[in-house]
Amino acid sequence: MVKRVVASAPGKIILFGEHAVVYGEPAVAVAIDRRARVIVEERGDFEVRISAPDLSLEAGFDLERVLSEDSFSFFEIPQRLKNVVRAVEVSLNACNLKRGLNIEINSDIPPSAGLGSSASVAVATVAAVGKCLTGDSWESEKVSKLAFEAEKIVHGAPSGIDNTISAYGGGIIFQQGKIERLDIGAQVSIVIGDTKVERSTKKLVSHVRSICEKYPLIGLPIIRLIGSLTLEGVERLKTGDFEGVGELMDINQGLLDALGVSHLSLSRLIFAAREAGAYGAKLSGAGGGGCMIALMSPENAKNVLEAIEMSGGRAVPTAFSMRGVTVESEE
Ligand code: PMV
């Protein structure tokens, strides 16, 4: 039986379609080369101890007590670790086992920034617990499905795009839980700009819902338009028309702004990136702060990076990553 496992999972960017994807429209997500790493060790008792040293967070609970309750109580668990607790619970249920565990989380994905940090932690936790307790490396599909339960703790009613891309890696077109693989060519570069403004995905998703309810003849057509734009973007990505992709990213940004999920800090970085020669730029994820992304030719990446830094953002050089959830080591 494996006693100590390290698993990792990538963060993501959304090229097209965030928010609209919650309403069943397609979206395009790509995994990035920043990852969450989770170490799981079996204990000899029924305690679960979770630590996230980077965030100075710790939590612990007794499986005997928690799993015997109908409705899961998160009493005294720090907000940022609630999804991990849930990921542990669903993984133990899937194994049909009750075992004490030590769980350590490390991540180089900025949290609450739209880069899918919570989903990648949940995905890596599920994979590590599964491997530690059963000896099996679970399929991406199974890991994603279990991590989705943990995502609900953070987002309320998530579309499932974050856990899916983190489990599968690469590029995907995601719609209503279904995925199609998408190959993004190496002829193009992406730069992430972090506004350093924290925000809540849950609140932003509910803001869009309130707009759609209050102005159904305006909000919902914008959502549908984002869906059409995403499909057009997919065609341009497939043919390598990156100027077209950039133009569509700019339109997508305008529509997200219309839904009220942009932010002055995002606009500053987005306009700076466009002026520095990016094909296009937009927020990525829920918006309201967090991160923006810019697409450009590899030769132009340095200019865009500098422009983002000059405008007060933290440029995060990044590369696409084909690697989804991975068991990195086991002892
Ligand atoms: O968690 P974030 O900020 O990466 O946003 C996820 C994308 C949304 O479309 C805004 C929400 C969802 O569940 O799809």
Side-chain angles (χ1 to χ4, degrees):
M1 174 81 71
V2 175
K3 298 290 179 210
R4 186 180 189 271
V5 170
V6 183
S8 72
K12 63 98 208 352
I13 53 167
I14 298 183
L15 273 181
F16 295 111
E18 52 272 270
H19 286 291
V21 69
V22 175
Y23 298 79
E25 297 296 328
V28 175
V30 184
I32 56 172
D33 61 352
R34 290 185 162 250
R35 303 178 75 84
R37 279 185 185 76
V38 175
I39 306 168
V40 172
E41 272 172 355
E42 229 184 297
R43 293 167 60 100
D45 55 16
F46 291 108
E47 285 272 303
V48 174
R49 299 246 147 238
I50 303 169
S51 68
D54 301 348
L55 301 171
S56 304
L57 290 176
E58 281 188 10
F61 60 93
D62 183 351
L63 283 176
E64 298 272 59
R65 189 169 60 93
V66 172
L67 291 184
S68 63
E69 282 170 16
D70 269 357
S71 99
F72 198 80
S73 158
F74 292 115
F75 191 60
E76 285 176 0
I77 306 283
Q79 185 63 28
R80 283 231 173 101
L81 296 183
K82 286 182 178 174
N83 70 325
V84 186
V85 173
R86 183 79 178 136
V88 172
E89 189 206 20
V90 294
S91 306
L92 288 171
N93 285 344
C95 300
N96 217 359
L97 286 171
K98 206 189 270 190
R99 294 274 159 73
L101 299 166
N102 287 328
I103 295 172
E104 186 184 307
I105 296 152
N106 296 290
S107 173
D108 55 19
I109 308 166
S112 304
L115 298 179
S117 139
S118 66
S120 54
V121 168
V123 164
T125 302
V126 168
V129 173
K131 181 74 181 177
C132 186
L133 297 186
T134 67
D136 296 334
S137 291
W138 287 344
E139 298 287 326
S140 302
E141 190 183 350
K142 178 169 179 169
V143 173
S144 173
K145 215 168 145 200
L146 293 172
F148 183 54
E149 296 305 313
E151 275 291 275
K152 289 181 189 165
I153 299 288
V154 189
H155 295 331
S159 63
I161 192 168
D162 283 12
N163 48 286
T164 304
I165 185 64
S166 184
Y168 285 84
I172 59 168
I173 308 159
F174 177 95
Q175 187 168 25
Q176 296 180 351
K178 297 202 170 54
I179 62 166
E180 191 188 313
R181 285 280 187 192
L182 183 67
D183 187 20
I184 315 261
Q187 322 89 298
V188 78
S189 288
I190 203 114
V191 170
I192 296 173
D194 187 354
T195 64
K196 299 173 274 183
V197 175
E198 287 205 7
R199 78 294 176 280
S200 148
T201 298
K202 202 171 187 170
K203 281 192 194 143
L204 288 149
V205 169
S206 76
H207 174 75
V208 172
R209 184 154 310 274
S210 72
I211 294 286
C212 290
E213 279 167 11
K214 197 166 171 191
Y215 309 108
L217 295 180
I218 297 161
L220 292 174
I222 294 177
I223 295 285
R224 305 289 164 243
L225 211 49
I226 293 176
S228 310
L229 175 157
T230 298
L231 294 178
E232 183 69 39
V234 167
E235 289 313 309
R236 307 281 161 159
L237 282 165
K238 284 181 177 167
T239 56
D241 171 13
F242 296 117
E243 282 184 17
V245 172
E247 219 157 49
L248 290 161
M249 286 170 71
D250 290 347
I251 300 173
N252 196 163
Q253 170 61 21
L255 295 173
L256 288 164
D257 210 344
L259 290 172
V261 295
S262 194
H263 190 270
L264 180 59
S265 62
L266 284 165
S267 297
R268 283 202 184 103
L269 306 192
I270 287 166
F271 279 94
R274 289 175 188 160
E275 275 160 29
Y279 293 133
K282 62 181 272 295
L283 66 85
S284 178
C291 288
M292 52 73 70
I293 53 170
L295 192 79
M296 77 279 321
S297 62
E299 309 79 66
N300 225 350
K302 193 166 168 284
N303 279 349
V304 174
L305 218 115
E306 282 168 4
I308 287 172
E309 291 275 346
M310 293 285 286
S311 311
R314 191 170 63 91
V316 186
T318 193
F320 302 132
S321 172
M322 289 310 292
R323 202 152 66 94
V325 64
T326 308
V327 171
E328 297 199 345
S329 70
E330 52 186 279
E331 287 164 17

